[in-house]
Amino acid sequence: MKRQKKIIASVLAAAFLIGGTTCYAGSAGSMLNPDQLYVSTAILGNTTGTYRFTSTNSKSSRYCVEAYLFTGKTSAKLSHVAKKYVMSADLKAHSEDVKVSRKNYTVAKASTYGNMKDHPKRDCIASTIISNQ
């Protein structure tokens, strides 16, 4: 059983490195560095109907960060905003469960923007993780 789990993990890692961007494992995450305007997670399949959406913003961030959970029917159509929130630099973390229709929204990804999506800025450090609950 242990060997089987290692093989599955290796195959998933190889598929991701080869160019697969849809992940049907349990979670996907991203890290916003000070030299970036925004960052997105890998695409995560909707296996449970509920995503745990967690973001953190560092106290050393110069601006707030805006985090989005996008859902869609396919990875090419990730346009529905299932959840959005803004965290000031003094708000260390935000986490919540977001329920979405398994029939209408089969995949999701999270995007994090330094400052705001419509006016992104550098000098922010933040992380975002989405996972199936």
Side-chain angles (χ1 to χ4, degrees):
M1 184 68 171
K2 204 174 204 183
R3 179 165 165 69
Q4 186 178 16
K5 285 182 180 179
K6 285 183 180 179
I7 291 170
I8 290 170
S10 298
V11 169
L12 288 172
F16 181 75
L17 291 173
I18 290 170
T21 58
T22 302
C23 178
Y24 286 92
S27 64
S30 62
M31 179 74 183
L32 180 67
N33 294 311
D35 61 337
Q36 298 172 302
L37 293 172
Y38 72 95
V39 68
S40 295
T41 66
I43 297 169
L44 183 65
N46 183 1
T47 60
T48 64
T50 303
Y51 289 105
R52 183 72 169 173
F53 181 37
T54 304
S55 284
T56 61
N57 190 11
S58 170
K59 281 187 174 184
S60 61
S61 289
R62 194 167 174 195
Y63 305 100
C64 65
V65 296
E66 193 169 53
Y68 286 81
L69 176 64
F70 293 106
T71 56
K73 187 70 173 170
T74 66
S75 58
K77 296 186 177 183
L78 277 163
S79 58
H80 177 260
V81 177
K83 189 67 183 177
K84 166 191 150 180
Y85 55 85
V86 177
M87 289 187 303
S88 63
D90 60 346
L91 179 61
K92 294 180 185 172
H94 177 86
S95 188
E96 69 181 279
D97 292 336
V98 180
K99 292 186 182 294
V100 296
S101 167
R102 288 176 66 191
K103 178 182 173 188
N104 296 327
Y105 305 112
T106 59
V107 291
K109 76 173 181 178
S111 296
T112 307
Y113 298 84
N115 193 38
M116 304 293 224
K117 182 182 177 200
D118 294 335
H119 190 59
K121 295 183 179 181
R122 290 178 171 75
D123 294 327
C124 293
I125 300 171
S127 64
T128 302
I129 299 171
I130 55 173
S131 59
N132 286 300
Q133 284 303 98

